Amino acid sequence: MKKILILSIFFFVSAVFCQKKQPKIGLVLSGGGAKGFAHIGVLKEIDKAGLQIDYIGGTSMGAIVGGLYAIGYSGEQIERIILETDFISLLRDRLPRSSETFFEKEFGEKTIITLPVKKGSIGLPKAVSKGQNVLNLLFELLASVEGVTDFSKLPTPFFCIATDVETGGEVVLDKGSLPLALRASGSFPTLLNPVTLNNKLLVDGGIANNFPVSIMKSKGMDIVIGVDVEGRLYEKEKLNSVISIMNQIVSYQMYHKTGKEKEKLDVYIHPSIFEFNVVDFDKKEEILQKGNVEGKKFEVVFKELASKQTHKKKRKKIKNLQKKYLISKIDLEGSNNYTRAFVLGKLNIREGDSISRKEITKRIYLLSATKNYDKIEYNLIKNKDHTYGLKFSVKESDDYANLKLGIHYDFLYRSGVLANFNQKKLLLNNDLFSIDMILGDNLRYNLNYFVDNGFYISYGITSRYNHFSANSKFNPIVSMFPNVNSINLKYTDITNQLFIQTTFNRKFALGLGLEHKYIKATTETIKTPNNQETTFDNSNYLNAYAYIKLDTYDKKYFATKGYFADLNFKWYLASSDYNSNFSSFAQAKGTLGFAKTFWDKFTFQLTNEAGFTLEPPQSNVFDFYLGGYNQNYINTFISFYGYDFAELSDNSFVKSELNFRYRFTDKHYASFIANYGRLDGNVFRDIDIFKDVKSGYAIGYSYNSFIGPIELKYSWSPDNKQQYWLFNLGFWF
């Protein structure tokens, strides 16, 4: 039957070309999400046949593929773009961690769900993502036709279809910004936010007209080739979920209209893609192959059409995508609530820079990471002296507040549910207020208020309430009472800080501050003579502090590359002095680490830590305590595999942790960890830092789930012959 259809098309084409006039050929590409990759196989066959397309029209993914072809990309080039693009990250607006603000690196990355808050009410997001990454990619790919606002003036005339959300009617896009037009046509509902264009709120064109053959005919085309990647209505047996039923209802009108449009085609091509759905972006190789197979079936037809074209325009070839542009002027439009210094500070672009479009995209990532914008556009305007003006146009988000949720469980803090509230523009345009309320076995909170001044010095305040109870060996006390193996330690910390900070390239942060700290440490295991709980400390402290931080890890959890440093110095100036023995002292603590991956799956991560105390205080509360495995320890508590929580302690320590991690399938890891440490009154007193070294080991399995790391580890130490099972669930907070 297929052969008969192709022969019929062949004879029709031959009859048409008996005319002396060279007919005009239009190409229509339907929408279909990921299934639209099958269009590319047909384009490759059109290229091989040397067939000239005189007009292209498309909807959704058909618009994006057709738009690229219209400006000069070949089928092979478009296929390469598809294969090299990570569509999952693209459609979810994922940003490389290097683009995240230092604030987000330090205090973010610990929640599962984000919900907008407006006028005190919690709402739902418009879609999975704002689509900024899609727009960034389109600006890169369509650079060669920047400034062309009439799509009929493109190398191949072009139009695409979007849907007006307000009326449900089709909107033909054939003028304006080509990247925005393609972004609007492909705004699949719930996946990408709608686009405001020409005072209309637009979504995916497939809703109104998924196969615009009639419009192509109205352009004066004599022969119209249509490539249809739509699916088909489900049979009742497969209508077994709310999603499938809703898709079926939405598809009624679309498929009905497409059926009528098909009848107006001269060449109808329908790749066999029924087994795929619109979001099968992870199956792009299989879908591309389906397009290749179907395209080859029309090889004869395309060659016959091409042989009759006596007057052909030479197709423009797209190249030099890495061209550098010398920026002589930077303009900013639409920034009402954030200063120019803030915006340009985030973009990190200055007049005099020579920069490619791909580099501009990376700088836009930096601005997108602030989450202050719904849309960021730019134009490069060539000057007579061959320099360029760079004009940014931003649409600020009105989502100033949100609620984020996360969960966690470990053996120290036990169960916890995190409710994080973020509010921007609380007092100033550049500020951010954030509070974590942790509900569960140990009530805690973390409050941050930060004023981000871009190029200039930033400042903020933080407040923390943290407490826990632990059955611990707590070495200083156990050594004082030989008959006590462990105590039930109750520990409370309230810390308030005022600081100034400057950052460099989102990698380094330097800061100075003042800190008030209240610490209370008690136990009921050991009673006082009047039968009260023993109190180790119950004092307020005032100190000055400074820090240097570096974070280039590509991931917060399961890092595969990068470096990390956290060096801080505190000078304790005064105390309410519960034990009547306070004297001023200083304390320094630092962490240095790096990660490197070999053969794509094997990662080695080394973390070195050290701390020392100058003029050690009489109170043991500021000793360094090693033991346990938590990543959310505070103050001078340090993790150390092979020992129980806070089992080792002294005034100074050095520690090295070697983590060998193997990713055996996506998001699944096996690990072997070895850590070595030494504690002393002053471990740096002599050169022999290998004296009395403590050691511990762990093996385990980890799964990087959407709620955070799920880890089960077995830990032991040859020093004490002890073994521990360790478990944690979710992001650490």
Side-chain angles (χ1 to χ4, degrees):
M1 190 68 181
K2 194 81 174 179
K3 290 182 179 179
I4 294 172
L5 177 61
I6 292 174
L7 285 173
S8 300
I9 294 170
F10 175 77
F11 287 122
F12 166 77
V13 170
S14 299
V16 169
F17 278 109
C18 287
Q19 307 172 52
K20 291 184 178 180
K21 180 184 176 183
Q22 177 175 309
K24 294 181 179 179
I25 300 175
L27 175 65
V28 179
L29 306 177
S30 82
K35 295 181 292 183
F37 297 153
H39 290 311
I40 298 166
V42 177
L43 294 179
K44 286 162 64 179
E45 287 302 318
I46 288 174
D47 287 341
K48 287 179 184 177
L51 177 61
Q52 174 179 289
I53 300 299
D54 297 296
Y55 222 117
I56 300 176
T59 298
S60 193
M61 184 60 78
I64 294 172
V65 172
L68 294 174
Y69 194 74
I71 73 165
Y73 285 97
S74 68
E76 292 280 0
Q77 285 178 306
I78 299 173
E79 181 179 66
R80 199 175 309 122
I81 291 168
I82 297 301
L83 291 172
E84 292 174 354
T85 300
D86 179 357
F87 283 91
I88 303 302
S89 295
L90 190 76
L91 294 170
R92 291 182 180 176
D93 266 350
R94 286 180 182 168
L95 299 176
R97 190 168 184 266
S98 58
S99 302
E100 297 288 354
T101 64
F102 219 93
F103 185 92
E104 183 68 17
K105 287 180 180 180
E106 190 166 10
F107 300 108
E109 304 179 60
K110 55 190 176 185
T111 53
I112 310 165
I113 301 171
T114 301
L115 301 171
V117 177
K118 289 187 177 181
K119 297 180 180 179
S121 299
I122 300 172
L124 294 173
K126 297 175 184 176
V128 172
S129 79
K130 295 179 179 179
Q132 183 63 50
N133 283 2
V134 175
L135 189 58
N136 291 342
L137 180 61
L138 290 172
F139 272 115
E140 285 183 39
L141 297 175
L142 302 173
S144 64
V145 293
E146 184 170 47
V148 178
T149 57
D150 183 346
F151 302 168
S152 67
K153 305 298 184 185
L154 294 172
T156 300
F158 172 78
F159 72 87
C160 61
I161 305 296
T163 301
D164 188 331
V165 177
E166 196 171 14
T167 66
E170 72 177 36
V171 178
V172 179
L173 300 174
D174 55 10
K175 287 182 172 61
S177 165
L178 183 58
L180 283 177
L182 298 186
R183 167 69 181 82
S185 183
S187 295
F188 191 84
T190 72
L191 189 60
L192 297 175
N193 276 4
V195 173
T196 301
L197 202 57
N198 302 325
N199 294 320
K200 294 180 179 178
L201 189 63
L202 304 178
V203 293
D204 196 289
I207 298 170
N209 189 351
N210 202 43
F211 208 24
V213 179
S214 296
I215 297 173
M216 181 60 75
K217 284 283 190 180
S218 72
K219 300 291 184 182
M221 297 297 105
D222 299 299
I223 294 178
V224 178
I225 302 169
V227 187
D228 178 13
V229 294
E230 285 184 4
R232 53 191 172 197
L233 295 174
Y234 290 115
E235 298 173 352
K236 61 180 180 294
E237 291 79 9
K238 295 184 178 180
L239 296 172
N240 50 18
S241 69
V242 173
I243 294 176
S244 63
I245 292 173
M246 287 300 296
N247 282 337
Q248 187 89 333
I249 294 171
V250 171
S251 299
Y252 291 152
Q253 180 183 352
M254 184 198 313
Y255 289 177
H256 177 70
K257 187 167 186 175
T258 295
K260 292 183 177 181
E261 293 291 283
K262 290 178 190 176
E263 297 172 2
K264 302 170 185 177
L265 283 170
D266 302 303
V267 180
Y268 176 64
I269 304 172
H270 195 178
S272 179
I273 39 70
F274 299 114
E275 62 190 279
F276 303 103
N277 63 53
V278 294
V279 292
D280 275 339
F281 295 99
D282 58 333
K283 298 178 182 177
K284 55 189 176 184
E285 291 89 353
E286 300 167 55
I287 298 172
L288 286 166
Q289 183 57 30
K290 292 287 185 180
N292 292 337
V293 170
E294 194 66 23
K296 289 184 184 299
K297 295 177 182 178
F298 290 82
E299 178 183 3
V300 175
V301 174
F302 295 154
K303 285 184 177 179
E304 179 64 22
L305 287 169
S307 69
K308 304 300 182 181
Q309 292 178 320
T310 54
H311 305 287
K312 296 182 182 179
K313 296 184 296 182
K314 187 176 181 181
R315 271 182 63 80
K316 178 182 178 182
K317 292 184 179 180
I318 304 296
K319 55 184 179 179
N320 194 22
L321 295 177
Q322 294 304 311
K323 177 183 175 181
K324 297 267 189 178
Y325 301 85
L326 178 59
I327 307 302
S328 58
K329 184 181 180 182
I330 301 175
D331 290 317
L332 178 62
E333 181 181 89
S335 187
N336 301 315
N337 296 311
Y338 300 94
T339 64
R340 177 182 172 89
F342 173 86
V343 176
L344 297 185
K346 294 301 177 188
L347 288 167
N348 196 24
I349 299 177
R350 294 177 174 84
E351 293 175 359
D353 286 350
S354 185
I355 192 168
S356 70
R357 286 184 181 269
K358 192 168 287 293
E359 289 169 332
I360 293 175
T361 292
K362 291 179 180 179
R363 307 302 173 84
I364 290 176
Y365 286 161
L366 303 176
L367 191 58
S368 295
T370 65
K371 300 178 176 62
N372 292 338
Y373 302 93
D374 284 336
K375 186 172 63 178
I376 304 168
E377 306 170 48
Y378 72 90
N379 295 98
L380 283 163
I381 304 159
K382 190 173 183 178
N383 301 317
K384 291 181 179 179
D385 60 358
H386 300 293
T387 63
Y388 287 81
L390 178 56
K391 181 179 180 180
F392 286 99
S393 178
V394 299
K395 181 185 177 185
E396 295 177 343
S397 173
D398 59 0
D399 293 336
Y400 298 131
N402 59 58
L403 177 67
K404 299 179 181 181
L405 303 174
I407 60 172
H408 183 77
Y409 179 84
D410 64 65
F411 289 160
L412 178 63
Y413 288 100
R414 296 183 283 279
S415 62
V417 175
L418 168 65
N420 168 258
F421 176 75
N422 274 274
Q423 171 75 58
K424 296 178 181 178
K425 296 179 61 180
L426 182 67
L427 301 174
L428 302 170
N429 280 344
N430 296 356
D431 71 6
L432 172 62
F433 171 81
S434 174
I435 184 168
D436 294 343
M437 291 299 300
I438 302 167
L439 311 175
D441 291 305
N442 290 276
L443 181 68
R444 293 171 280 155
Y445 80 77
N446 289 287
L447 182 149
N448 292 277
Y449 178 77
F450 186 63
V451 179
D452 191 337
N453 287 323
F455 286 134
Y456 307 113
I457 297 293
S458 302
Y459 57 91
I461 59 173
T462 68
S463 180
R464 177 183 73 198
Y465 169 70
N466 191 298
H467 80 106
F468 57 82
S469 298
N471 189 36
S472 170
K473 294 186 178 180
F474 205 59
N475 192 54
I477 303 304
V478 173
S479 62
M480 293 169 58
F481 299 89
N483 295 326
V484 179
N485 293 322
S486 64
I487 62 169
N488 182 27
L489 174 67
K490 294 181 180 179
Y491 189 92
T492 299
D493 168 275
I494 300 175
T495 299
N496 301 294
Q497 296 177 329
L498 174 66
F499 67 94
I500 59 172
Q501 175 180 288
T502 186
T503 59
F504 303 92
N505 297 323
R506 308 207 175 189
K507 298 177 182 178
F508 282 100
L510 300 173
L512 298 169
L514 292 173
E515 178 183 82
H516 162 265
K517 184 181 289 290
Y518 167 73
I519 291 180
K520 182 178 181 180
T522 65
T523 183
E524 293 181 344
T525 306
I526 304 170
K527 298 290 187 178
T528 64
N530 56 358
N531 205 33
Q532 299 294 313
E533 64 181 11
T534 296
T535 299
F536 308 126
D537 201 355
N538 186 15
S539 303
N540 291 278
Y541 295 90
L542 179 66
N543 67 69
Y545 68 96
Y547 58 84
I548 301 175
K549 297 180 181 180
L550 166 71
D551 189 349
T552 67
Y553 279 157
D554 61 336
K555 302 173 186 177
K556 186 168 186 175
Y557 304 98
F558 310 109
T560 62
K561 62 181 179 180
Y563 298 87
F564 179 85
D566 185 358
L567 311 175
N568 63 77
F569 178 84
K570 290 186 178 182
W571 182 16
Y572 287 83
L573 303 170
S575 171
S576 60
D577 200 8
Y578 172 82
N579 293 310
S580 301
N581 58 6
F582 176 80
S583 59
S584 180
F585 68 97
Q587 196 166 59
K589 179 175 173 289
T591 302
L592 297 172
F594 80 90
K596 175 71 174 176
T597 296
F598 305 90
W599 311 295
D600 190 46
K601 292 179 179 287
F602 180 78
T603 299
F604 171 65
Q605 188 169 359
L606 173 65
T607 304
N608 296 308
E609 294 182 73
F612 63 91
T613 307
L614 299 175
E615 299 297 329
Q618 294 296 316
S619 172
N620 289 321
V621 76
F622 289 104
D623 282 359
F624 293 101
Y625 295 94
L626 274 64
Y629 69 107
N630 284 39
Q631 295 182 37
N632 54 7
Y633 285 153
I634 61 171
N635 296 340
T636 54
F637 293 97
I638 315 294
S639 65
F640 196 82
Y641 289 99
Y643 284 81
D644 200 2
F645 169 72
E647 184 174 352
L648 303 172
S649 69
D650 217 315
N651 288 321
S652 68
F653 80 99
V654 291
K655 171 201 163 186
S656 290
E657 179 180 298
L658 296 80
N659 190 327
F660 302 89
R661 187 169 59 245
Y662 181 76
R663 180 173 59 85
F664 54 90
T665 62
D666 187 36
K667 298 185 178 181
H668 295 266
Y669 301 84
S671 58
F672 171 75
I673 302 168
N675 55 201
Y676 305 93
R678 179 170 179 249
L679 298 95
D680 199 340
N682 183 356
V683 294
F684 305 105
R685 181 181 294 114
D686 51 53
I687 300 177
D688 190 9
I689 61 173
F690 297 103
K691 180 182 178 182
D692 298 326
V693 170
K694 307 296 182 182
S695 63
Y697 305 90
I699 56 173
Y701 159 79
S702 303
Y703 172 56
N704 190 15
S705 75
F706 76 98
I707 63 172
I710 300 174
E711 299 184 284
L712 178 65
K713 295 175 182 174
Y714 174 73
S715 173
W716 75 96
S717 172
D719 307 332
N720 54 22
K721 312 301 181 184
Q722 296 294 315
Q723 300 89 35
Y724 304 93
W725 282 100
L726 311 174
F727 175 76
N728 72 273
L729 168 73
F731 297 112
W732 290 93
F733 50 75

